[in-house]
Amino acid sequence: MPITTTRGEPGTGDAGIVTVTVDFPPVNALPSAAWFELADTILAAGADESTHAVILRAEGRGFNAGVDIKEMQATTGFDALIAANQGCAAAFSAVYDCAVPVIVAVNGFCVGGGIGLVGNADVIVASDDAVFGLPEVDRGALGAATHLARLMPQHMMRTLYYTAQNATAQQLHQFGSVYRVVPREELLDAALDVARMIATKDTRVIRRAKAAINGIDPVDVKNSYLLEQRYTYELNLAGVADEHRDAFVAEGQKGTK
């Protein structure tokens, strides 16, 4: 199944750890329905009082490649675009609103919507081949600068946003946003190490700690992201976004011939 949930063995230190795994080959570009499913899965895991921590990870070549642009371009009208934007907003919010800390384990590429998930997480561990970025301007869209700004200094965020370049896991570790960088084969263990430390604490305290930290956040991540999406909708209504998405799909079709 594309989105699966596993819980640590009862009677062990992992019993309170829930791992959510995403697997949408070939690149984990999620269709709109999957963003809503991911949101529901994460919120449900946190709502269970026996959960102490959630790990969000992915199988395959990379952690997340954003929305499924091919799905969007194969649909007439704006329904697919609206669903994708609302689904992303729901999933990003779910990571933020999950009642317990969410640890993301990032392998390979984390771009587009992946930045929204990671930027709203509590703890980030990454493989040494992980890269983070927003190719939105190359797709005629905007969004998730809100979350990229939580990962790096302001001027670096602006530079990477305007140029659609990526930052490495090592750079984000230097900035202080990535907790650990490890070989890919050690990634899940690194995430479990953090989750186990959290799981030993009184979950009643940790749940209130997360609520408190969210409450003192200097940026309202939900409204900030919605403001970005306002300009994305403008670009779509103007026809600019379709030009770039069509070009992206056409380029991908060339590569498969």
Side-chain angles (χ1 to χ4, degrees), residues 32-103:
S32 54
W35 287 103
F36 288 106
E37 181 183 352
L38 182 59
D40 291 342
T41 300
I42 293 169
L43 289 175
D48 185 335
E49 292 291 335
S50 66
T51 302
H52 290 213
V54 171
I55 295 173
L56 176 60
R57 61 177 298 275
E59 289 288 344
R61 291 162 51 190
F63 177 75
N64 188 280
V67 301
D68 185 348
I69 293 178
K70 292 181 180 178
E71 175 195 47
M72 198 178 296
Q73 293 312 95
T75 306
T76 58
F78 294 111
D79 288 351
L81 169 70
I82 293 170
N85 286 348
Q86 290 181 343
C88 282
F92 302 168
S93 295
V95 172
Y96 192 78
D97 291 334
C98 181
V100 299
V102 176
I103 300 113

Side-chain angles (χ1 to χ4, degrees), residues 6 35 57 59 84 89 92 107 115 120 122 156 159 161 176-177 191 193 252:
T6 57
W35 287 103
R57 61 177 298 275
E59 289 288 344
F92 302 168
N107 62 296
I115 295 294
N120 272 1
D122 296 282
M156 179 62 74
T159 301
Y161 197 73
S177 51
D193 284 345

